């Protein structure tokens, strides 16, 4: 039979009668996450995963617009020239413009059914081509041009290109429907020339943006600011 607590205390002393107590460790206070607004300059680190994902999406949009432009001009309009117009070149393929006589020959070669199909081309592929090209260029410029003023100057080029492209399609449909109207032919020809001039400016803008990106990367590399590099003292 075991001893009682009083018996244990009498035999072994006062400390034997009480169970040993384990000292409690104070709990650490919960750490509050630091807000973005409380961070000092240089503490806000970029997230490379988000940047790379945005770059991939912009690259896809850019090259989709470029591929659609090539498809429209190298396949669709070439098919219009060869199959619908019997070898007469589609007016929008003439970068230097066209005369009223050429437009009359083109309209005559199309015929009634050919004019309907030609207008349908403008309502489908001819509609999506400038929109996707403009969108791809807008995203490419916006991602890679940090200067706001320069960005808006560059953005004006793809916006104008899309507007002039669509206006040119409408003017060509009207001119082909009335080939004996010299003013309609001249207006359509002027819009086609403007379209090709703006295309050259699109290429120039893309080159300028690409050069600026490469230059910034080289500067960051020389200063050790690229991800994975050790900053130089």
């Amino acid at each position: 039979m075991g001893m009682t607590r009083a018996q244990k205390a009498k035999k072994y002393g006062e400390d034997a009668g009480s169970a040993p107590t384990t000292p409690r460790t104070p709990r650490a206070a919960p750490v509050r996450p630091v807000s973005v607004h409380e961070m000092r300059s240089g503490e806000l680190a970029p997230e490379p995963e988000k940047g790379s994902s945005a770059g991939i999406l912009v690259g896809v949009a850019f090259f989709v617009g470029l591929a659609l432009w090539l498809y429209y001009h190298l396949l669709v309009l070439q098919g219009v020239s060869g199959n619908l117009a019997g070898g007469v070149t589609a007016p929008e393929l003439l970068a230097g413009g066209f005369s009223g006589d050429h437009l009359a020959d083109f309209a005559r070669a199309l015929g009634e059914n050919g004019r309907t199909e030609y207008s349908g081309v403008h309502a489908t592929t001819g509609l999506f081509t400038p929109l996707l090209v403009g969108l791809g260029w807008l995203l490419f410029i916006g991602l890679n041009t940090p200067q706001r003023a320069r960005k808006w100057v560059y953005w004006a080029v793809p916006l104008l290109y899309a507007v002039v492209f669509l206006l040119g399609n409408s003017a060509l449909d009207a001119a082909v429907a009335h080939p004996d109207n010299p003013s309609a032919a001249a207006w359509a020809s002027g819009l086609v020339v403007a379209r090709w001039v703006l295309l050259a400016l699109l290429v120039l803008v893309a080159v300028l943006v690409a050069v600026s990106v490469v230059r910034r990367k080289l500067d960051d590399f020389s200063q050790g600011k690229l991800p994975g590099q050790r900053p130089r003292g």
Side-chain angles (χ1 to χ4, degrees):
M1 187 174 179
M3 292 184 292
T4 63
R5 182 176 179 180
Q7 291 172 338
K8 289 181 181 181
K10 183 177 180 181
K11 185 176 181 178
Y12 300 107
E14 290 294 328
D15 294 336
S18 59
T21 58
T22 304
R24 294 183 179 181
T25 304
R27 295 182 179 179
V31 179
R32 183 177 64 86
V34 181
S35 172
V36 174
H37 303 287
E38 297 174 352
M39 292 183 178
R40 298 178 181 177
S41 177
E43 292 183 349
L44 186 59
E47 299 183 25
E49 294 84 1
K50 291 185 178 180
S52 60
S53 300
I56 292 173
L57 293 176
V58 170
V60 169
F62 183 85
F63 285 107
V64 165
L66 181 60
L68 186 58
W69 187 95
L70 293 173
Y71 169 76
Y72 180 66
H73 287 82
L74 299 182
L75 293 178
V76 176
L77 291 180
Q78 292 291 344
V80 169
S81 302
N83 299 329
L84 295 181
V88 182
T89 305
E92 52 259 67
L93 292 176
L94 302 173
F98 51 86
S99 63
D101 292 337
H102 179 85
L103 184 68
D105 293 340
F106 179 73
R108 192 181 308 109
L110 286 177
E112 189 66 30
N113 294 332
R115 283 197 291 266
T116 302
E117 292 188 38
Y118 181 60
S119 179
V121 167
H122 288 161
T124 52
T125 316
L127 172 64
F128 292 112
T129 296
L131 295 180
L132 290 180
V133 168
L135 177 62
W137 251 259
L138 287 173
L139 294 176
F140 176 70
I141 294 168
L143 179 67
N144 297 298
T145 309
Q147 300 89 352
R148 181 173 298 180
R150 182 180 299 180
K151 182 185 300 184
W152 279 104
V153 172
Y154 287 169
W155 270 347
V157 178
L159 291 174
L160 282 174
Y161 178 77
V163 171
V164 170
F165 198 112
L166 296 176
L167 287 176
N169 287 348
S170 179
L172 285 168
D173 289 338
V176 168
H178 302 90
D180 54 344
N181 187 343
S183 61
W187 170 241
S189 177
L191 288 174
V192 168
V193 173
R195 176 192 303 185
W196 285 97
V197 171
L198 287 170
L199 177 65
L201 291 177
L202 278 178
V203 175
L204 177 61
V205 167
V207 171
L208 292 176
V209 173
V211 169
S212 67
V213 170
V214 172
R215 185 175 298 170
R216 286 199 305 271
K217 293 294 184 182
L218 290 176
D219 290 342
D220 291 343
F221 176 77
S222 64
Q223 299 174 17
K225 295 181 179 179
L226 291 179
Q229 280 188 296
R230 295 181 178 180
R232 299 183 180 182

